[in-house]
Amino acid sequence: MKLVLLLCFVSCLRTGWAVQFSSLDKISLNFFPNMSNILAARLSSSFIVNIPKCISSSHYTPTTIRPAIAVLGETVGLPAVTDTNQIRSLRNFTDAPIYYAGEFASVSCRMARALVKMDIDDENYKLTTIVGYQVGAEVCENTKGPFCNRVLKPSSFYRVNFFVLDENAVVRAHTDWSDPIQTNNVTSFSAYDGSFEGRAGGMIVITVLLSVGMFLVVVGLIVAAALGDKTITSPQATFPRSLEKAKHKHLFNMLKRHMTSLSIDNICHLLLTCWSSQPYFIIL
């Protein structure tokens, strides 16, 4: 008789009957470890919390973890819920104050012990570290499934509660509600600057320096092109080539004609005088 009642109870749970929080096992969890800088970071539309690991029980096999999110108002007290039936899905209730954000596989103790030691320098292995669960990582219109991890509102308070399900998808334990978590504040969604999202500080500095350098190179090319096209108006530059050749020919004939009557000093003086004068004046 007891076995029949138990089976009926489990069947009712699977069809959607509520489970009282008081009947669930309580799992201790530190949502924000002090040693983690990643878990301490909070954005305007999401934040990351620690997840329960290495859950063990002699009564059931932990299989799935389902995070529940509570939207808090001006008062940041505990949510006024006492059973799982009061936690909705955003697919059916878009304005639900308490909703399931999704579900993921439970991290077993055996897997955690197996990953204690690993040669991370060996390229044949890849070390995967589970950091936490990001709350507010999806846009419901762009995703499918029974749950939605909707983006959060800026400057708002939330609480998180992880529910543990067994191999039959029955809720068996929970972590209880976390402390109030506040997202960062922005004046409006349009004022949010996402241009540097996913970029490190060094990358931003390098991008700025390259941009400034390219700007200076372009300006230098423009100045060089402007100076190169400028016409030089000095007398020697504007002097025709024909007159230049005539000057040389006249000087050669003059030297040839007076070579016998001029001394070496006079010839040198004549050459210096001609070359130092204006190109279109030949002084004899």
Side-chain angles (χ1 to χ4, degrees), residues 136-214:
E138 295 177 348
V139 177
C140 296
E141 291 76 9
N142 300 335
T143 58
K144 297 180 180 180
F147 308 109
C148 175
N149 188 9
R150 182 174 58 190
V151 294
L152 308 179
K153 295 182 179 180
S155 188
S156 300
F157 288 91
Y158 300 88
R159 288 182 185 266
V160 182
N161 193 348
F162 289 104
F163 291 88
V164 181
L165 285 69
D166 61 11
E167 64 276 11
N168 297 317
V170 177
V171 179
R172 305 300 295 268
H174 73 120
T175 60
D176 210 349
W177 296 103
S178 67
D179 293 333
I181 307 166
Q182 184 181 19
T183 54
N184 288 344
N185 183 31
V186 293
T187 55
S188 64
F189 283 106
S190 60
Y192 171 70
D193 184 9
S195 58
F196 298 116
E197 185 175 355
R199 294 173 173 84
M203 186 177 179
I204 296 175
V205 173
I206 294 175
T207 303
V208 172
L209 292 178
L210 290 177
S211 302
V212 174
M214 290 299 298

Side-chain angles (χ1 to χ4, degrees), residues 18-75:
V19 178
Q20 296 293 325
F21 288 179
S22 58
S23 63
L24 298 176
D25 295 340
K26 190 70 67 70
I27 299 174
S28 178
L29 176 65
N30 183 7
F31 285 87
F32 298 99
N34 295 329
M35 65 183 68
S36 176
N37 293 328
I38 297 178
L39 296 178
R42 304 175 190 180
L43 304 178
S44 60
S45 60
S46 66
F47 57 84
I48 301 176
V49 294
N50 192 19
I51 63 174
K53 304 176 184 177
C54 192
I55 304 172
S56 61
S57 176
S58 59
H59 305 290
Y60 62 93
T61 301
T63 305
T64 307
I65 297 178
R66 187 176 295 174
I69 312 301
V71 182
L72 306 181
E74 296 180 356
T75 59

